[in-house]
């Protein structure tokens, strides 16, 4: 009996060891350390919907997902992240008083590994790479200095790539990829010298598409002598290689021998960990000042995400997620201080946060919708709640709105019935103020509280706006106030005076005209999407805008938005505060030409809408 148990234990340790060999940061550990660590992991199976731990539970150790999915939520029940295989969680609880700071729940059949707390702490002390990976939760100076572009490849790469030899059959190689859950195999000789690389794409486009037999050697489909990098190369070399060569897998070699590999998945994991760790730090914070320590790293996160080649909608979504987490945490802290709310309420964001389009330059725009049961006496509670949250946001770098478009303004902290009256009034009497307010409030998005307070309001308002052609016409005319910066003779119309004279305003004359157009399409099609790009895609799907018109406008918007973000990232790396202005001279002739073409597309679409011709013909 004892012999069977020993064999089973050895099989278990071998399985865990093989798994850890392909999980960062465990793959950075010395072999003897990794072997020992594999033997101390505990296992747990969690069924769909099963709670792994709740806020306040003792932090047992560091969790690692072998396979399955885990949802992490904050104390308000709002999602913090969805984690899959090879993701770790629970480290913030170990680092903060030994108590869990979030809730963790399996959403499907999930196998988990648990590294006990004492082993976790020992690795933090003895392994610098392991410590670097987990010492990032509170926006420390160390974390803020870490950027992908300046990281050494040796710190990023997977050190135990899965390999085969040139004679391995396609069938065996495919089975190896399936069993190890990797997207590529390195082909090496007997001395580990790199000969080629085989990817899932090769399997599909070469092996399957060409009908090659399973006994065909992988040498027939591999990319021979692939481009590789040295361990001493920097992240920027990796990014340039991937972009220029259009490859998603880059081997790392030293003196011709394979020592590691990097994939786009590794980059995504590196990026996601940074934003997720900031959210984790926010969830565990006990004050706005603690959260401000985390959000101080936002500029570097933006530069990091842009430098890694992420699309603008990914960058702004991740940046906005952090603002959402700050807001929800402040709401929870406010309730702890003030007590339970007297009636249901809903905190909503508008502006760039509402559209999930925040960049490195954002103030706050928000409001409160209260249950109609709220009494005049209840308003003092919500005044204090709004002040606490708004001041907390300001502390965290989301500055008070200059136009007072905040829940601290009594006008924007009202029962649902008053909000319904507001929207009816704006739609029925679309004077200039109504047009301006409607433009802002049509971008509302619930952040925390009772979401049912908004569901009917949004649907009713969109339907009423759609039926009122006069209101839509006024909104169209209001949207045309912001025009692309097109000058004469294929030039740009730059700012004429002041601090930013001769520069382009990439916000008001760049992205805002597209934001306004997308809002018009949303009104015309009664679309519930708030994000600009999502609105354009939904408008195309519904037929509000033609396929060619939508694609042209989306492409133009992508170029304008990404140019704006690249400029902000450059400012951050230069140690300057980012803004929305850019000298045209900073662009190459090629970039200027394409940017101007993008502005022309936007102006053409504005003209079509302004003339009442639509964009379907």
């Amino acid at each position: 009996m004892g012999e069977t148990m020993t064999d089973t234990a050895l099989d278990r340790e071998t399985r865990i060891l093989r798994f850890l060999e392909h999980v960062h940061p465990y793959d950075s550990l010395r072999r003897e350390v990794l072997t020992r660590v594999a033997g101390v992991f505990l296992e747990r199976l969690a069924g769909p919907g099963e709670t792994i731990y709740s806020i306040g539970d003792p932090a047992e150790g560091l969790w690692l997902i072998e396979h399955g999915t885990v949802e992490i939520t904050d104390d308000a029940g709002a999602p913090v992240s969805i984690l899959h295989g090879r993701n770790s969680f629970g480290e913030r609880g170990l680092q903060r008083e030994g108590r869990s700071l979030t809730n963790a729940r399996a959403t499907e059949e999930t196998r988990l590994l648990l590294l006990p707390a004492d082993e976790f702490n020992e690795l933090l002390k003895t392994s610098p790479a392991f410590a670097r990976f987990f010492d990032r939760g509170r926006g420390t100076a160390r974390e803020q200095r870490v950027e992908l572009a300046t990281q050494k490849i040796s710190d990023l790469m997977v050190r135990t790539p899965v390999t085969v030899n040139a004679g391995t059959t396609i069938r065996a190689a495919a089975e190896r990829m399936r069993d190890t859950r990797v997207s590529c195999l390195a082909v090496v000789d007997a001395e580990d010298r790199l000969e080629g690389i085989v990817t899932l794409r090769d399997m599909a486009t070469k092996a399957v598409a060409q009908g090659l037999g399973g006994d065909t050697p992988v040498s027939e489909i591999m990319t021979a002598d692939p481009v590789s990098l040295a361990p001493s190369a920097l992240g920027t070399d990796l990014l340039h290689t991937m972009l220029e060569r259009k490859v998603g897998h880059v081997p790392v070699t030293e003196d011709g021998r394979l020592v590691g590999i990097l994939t786009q998945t590794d980059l995504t994991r590196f990026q996601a960990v940074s934003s997720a760790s900031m959210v984790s730090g926010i969830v565990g914070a006990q004050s706005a000042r603690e959260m401000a320590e985390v959000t101080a790293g936002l500029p570097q996160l933006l530069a990091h995400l842009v430098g890694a080649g992420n699309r603008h909608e990914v960058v702004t979504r991740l940046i906005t997620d952090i603002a959402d987490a700050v807001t929800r945490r402040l709401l929870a802290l406010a309730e702890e201080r003030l007590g339970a709310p007297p009636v249901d309420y809903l905190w909503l964001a508008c502006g760039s946060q509402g559209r999930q389009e925040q960049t490195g330059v954002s103030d706050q725009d928000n409001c409160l919708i209260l249950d109609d049961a709220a009494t005049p006496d209840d308003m003092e509670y919500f005044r204090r709640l709004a002040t606490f949250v708004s001041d907390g946001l300001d502390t965290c770098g989301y500055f008070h709105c200059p136009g007072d478009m905040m829940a601290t303004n009594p006008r924007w902290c009202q029962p649902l019935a008053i909000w319904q009256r507001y929207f009816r009034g704006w739609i029925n009497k679309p004077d200039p103020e109504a047009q301006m307010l409607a433009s802002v409030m049509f971008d509302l998005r619930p952040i925390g509280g009772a979401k049912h307070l908004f569901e009917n309001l949004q649907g009713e308002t969109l339907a009423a706006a759609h039926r009122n052609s006069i209101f839509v016409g006024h909104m169209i005319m209001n949207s045309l106030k912001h025009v692309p910066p097109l000058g004469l003779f294929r030039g740009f119309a730059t700012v004429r005076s002041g601090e930013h004279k001769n520069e382009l305003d990439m916000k008001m004359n760049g992205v805002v005209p597209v934001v306004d157009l997308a809002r018009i399409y949303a009104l015309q099609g009664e679309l519930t999407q708030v994000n600009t790009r999502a609105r354009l895609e939904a408008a195309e799907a519904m037929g509000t805008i033609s396929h060619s018109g939508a694609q042209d406008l989306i492409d133009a918007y992508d170029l304008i938005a990404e140019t704006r973000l690249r400029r902000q990232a450059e400012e951050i790396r230069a140690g300057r505060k980012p803004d929305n202005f850019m000298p045209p001279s900073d662009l190459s002739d090629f970039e200027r030409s394409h940017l101007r073409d993008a502005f022309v597309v936007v102006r053409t679409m504005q003209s079509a809408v302004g003339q009442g011709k639509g964009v379907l013909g």
Side-chain angles (χ1 to χ4, degrees):
M1 182 72 169
E3 185 175 337
T4 303
M5 290 180 66
T6 301
D7 289 344
T8 302
L10 287 173
D11 290 343
R12 169 186 162 279
E13 290 182 20
T14 300
R15 190 195 83 242
I16 294 175
L17 176 61
R18 289 175 177 171
F19 175 68
L20 294 178
E21 287 175 342
H22 306 290
V23 178
H24 196 62
Y26 300 95
D27 58 358
S28 67
L29 300 176
R30 298 193 310 276
R31 183 69 184 184
E32 63 270 25
V33 176
L34 183 61
T35 302
R36 181 185 65 77
V37 169
V40 300
F41 267 94
L42 304 176
E43 291 184 281
R44 173 174 169 183
L45 289 175
E50 183 176 341
T51 296
I52 299 166
Y53 60 72
S54 300
I55 291 175
D57 289 348
E60 300 175 61
L62 178 71
W63 294 92
L64 175 63
I65 303 172
E66 188 170 356
H67 65 76
T69 306
V70 173
E71 179 185 46
I72 307 296
T73 58
D74 63 17
D75 51 2
V80 173
S81 59
I82 301 294
L83 304 176
H84 303 283
R86 304 187 187 187
N87 284 160
S88 298
F89 61 99
E91 70 270 21
R92 292 290 293 126
L94 295 171
Q95 296 168 345
R96 283 285 302 270
E97 303 176 354
R99 294 284 174 178
S100 300
L101 302 178
T102 55
N103 305 299
R105 180 181 67 91
T107 61
E108 61 178 327
E109 192 76 19
T110 300
R111 180 185 291 275
L112 298 162
L113 300 176
L114 177 66
L115 182 66
D118 56 346
E119 292 289 343
F120 172 76
N121 290 323
E122 180 64 19
L123 286 175
L124 289 181
K125 296 176 184 176
T126 58
S127 171
F130 193 91
R132 279 199 304 273
F133 185 82
F134 290 106
D135 187 15
R136 50 182 163 66
R138 296 186 60 188
T140 61
R142 175 187 295 178
E143 180 190 354
Q144 293 168 24
R145 290 195 299 268
V146 174
E147 292 186 38
L148 178 62
T150 56
Q151 285 284 91
K152 283 189 176 181
I153 294 299
S154 58
D155 292 332
L156 299 172
M157 68 185 186
V158 174
R159 294 178 179 273
T160 52
V162 182
T163 63
V164 294
N165 60 55
T168 302
T169 65
I170 289 176
R171 181 181 294 108
E175 290 173 348
R176 189 80 188 277
M177 295 174 86
R178 178 199 63 196
D179 294 342
T180 55
R181 299 180 184 179
V182 297
S183 59
C184 70
L185 297 171
V187 182
V188 298
D189 64 13
E191 296 180 353
D192 282 335
R193 293 187 177 278
L194 181 67
E195 295 186 330
I197 189 169
V198 178
T199 68
L200 286 175
R201 182 179 178 85
D202 293 327
M203 288 290 185
T205 62
K206 297 178 181 178
V208 177
Q210 296 177 19
L212 298 180
D215 293 334
T216 304
V218 293
S219 58
E220 295 294 317
I221 64 170
M222 73 180 186
T223 298
D225 299 320
V227 60
S228 64
L229 292 173
S232 58
L234 299 179
T236 186
D237 300 316
L238 173 67
L239 294 172
H240 290 168
T241 298
M242 286 184 165
L243 290 170
E244 293 174 10
R245 302 296 185 99
K246 293 182 172 57
V247 295
H249 306 79
V250 179
V252 183
T253 58
E254 196 165 29
D255 296 328
R257 288 184 170 81
L258 183 73
V259 295
I261 201 160
L262 276 161
T263 71
Q264 288 179 335
T265 300
D266 298 321
L267 297 187
T268 300
R269 186 180 299 115
F270 184 88
Q271 297 147 20
V273 160
S274 296
S275 59
S277 67
M278 293 182 76
V279 172
S280 178
I282 289 163
V283 168
Q286 297 301 312
S287 68
R289 289 196 176 279
E290 284 190 25
M291 282 182 265
E293 294 178 20
V294 179
T295 57
L298 274 171
Q300 292 301 328
L301 175 63
L302 184 143
H304 167 89
L305 293 170
V306 173
N310 287 283
R311 294 179 60 85
H312 69 91
E313 68 269 24
V314 174
V315 177
T316 55
R317 172 61 186 271
L318 290 173
I319 296 295
T320 305
D321 284 349
I322 293 167
D324 291 354
V326 170
T327 305
R328 283 191 288 266
R329 183 60 184 149
L330 287 169
L331 287 168
L333 292 174
E335 289 190 21
E336 288 180 14
R337 173 177 293 192
L338 303 175
V343 297
D344 283 348
Y345 73 88
L346 179 62
W347 184 282
L348 304 98
C350 44
S352 61
Q353 185 183 0
R355 296 189 304 274
Q356 295 180 299
E357 294 167 4
Q358 286 190 312
T359 67
V361 187
S362 296
D363 58 7
Q364 56 175 288
D365 298 283
N366 45 60
C367 63
L368 273 169
I369 298 178
L370 313 178
D371 190 278
D372 284 334
T375 67
D377 290 341
D378 295 333
M379 301 308 291
E380 176 59 20
Y381 175 95
F382 291 109
R383 183 194 68 78
R384 295 171 64 191
L385 180 140
T387 299
F388 181 91
V389 175
S390 183
D391 287 351
L393 288 169
D394 185 73
T395 298
C396 292
Y398 306 101
F399 304 116
H400 291 133
C401 175
D404 206 18
M405 192 70 68
M406 298 181 295
T408 50
N409 183 338
R411 188 179 184 185
W412 311 127
C413 178
Q414 293 291 337
L416 176 59
I418 300 298
W419 279 100
Q420 291 170 324
R421 193 167 73 201
Y422 282 165
F423 278 102
R424 283 197 302 269
W426 297 333
I427 292 170
N428 294 331
K429 296 181 179 179
D431 58 30
E433 183 189 35
Q435 297 166 33
M436 182 273 293
L437 292 174
S439 294
V440 174
M441 295 304 178
F442 273 117
D443 293 350
L444 286 175
R445 181 172 61 89
I447 302 298
K451 293 184 179 180
H452 69 84
L453 292 172
F454 183 64
E455 292 170 355
N456 290 338
L457 175 63
Q458 184 185 38
E460 292 168 0
T461 301
L462 285 171
H466 176 75
R467 290 193 301 267
N468 191 323
S469 59
I470 295 176
F471 170 74
V472 174
H474 280 280
M475 289 291 289
I476 289 174
M477 297 309 297
N478 185 65
S479 72
L480 301 181
K481 293 178 180 178
H482 300 113
V483 297
L486 293 170
L488 299 175
F489 308 113
R490 294 194 59 80
F492 291 116
T494 57
V495 177
R496 295 183 178 181
S497 61
E499 179 185 357
H500 298 289
K501 183 179 180 181
N502 297 327
E503 295 182 344
L504 295 173
D505 187 336
M506 295 298 293
K507 177 182 178 181
M508 301 309 296
N509 300 118
V511 297
V512 167
V514 187
V515 169
D516 289 343
L517 278 174
R519 189 183 299 112
I520 297 301
Y521 301 142
L523 291 176
Q524 291 175 333
E526 297 184 56
L527 305 174
T528 58
Q529 288 85 352
V530 179
N531 175 265
T532 296
R533 206 173 192 279
R535 279 173 165 170
L536 295 176
E537 291 171 345
E540 177 190 5
M542 178 167 279
T544 305
I545 180 174
S546 68
H547 172 72
S548 60
Q551 290 304 306
D552 285 348
L553 189 54
I554 289 172
D555 287 346
Y557 178 56
D558 287 345
L559 179 61
I560 295 167
E562 287 173 6
T563 301
R564 177 195 183 201
L565 277 181
R566 282 201 307 271
R567 171 65 180 180
Q568 290 190 2
E570 290 166 1
E571 293 286 286
I572 292 166
R573 294 191 192 100
R576 297 188 291 268
K577 185 177 179 180
D579 58 32
N580 290 299
F581 299 91
M582 181 180 67
S585 57
D586 284 0
L587 299 170
S588 67
D589 290 343
F590 180 83
E591 290 170 328
R592 280 199 296 270
S593 177
H594 281 271
L595 185 59
R596 190 180 189 283
D597 288 344
F599 289 144
V600 169
V601 169
V602 177
R603 189 72 190 101
T604 301
M605 301 298 278
Q606 284 184 323
S607 297
V609 171
Q611 293 170 15
K613 296 178 181 179
V615 288
L616 295 175

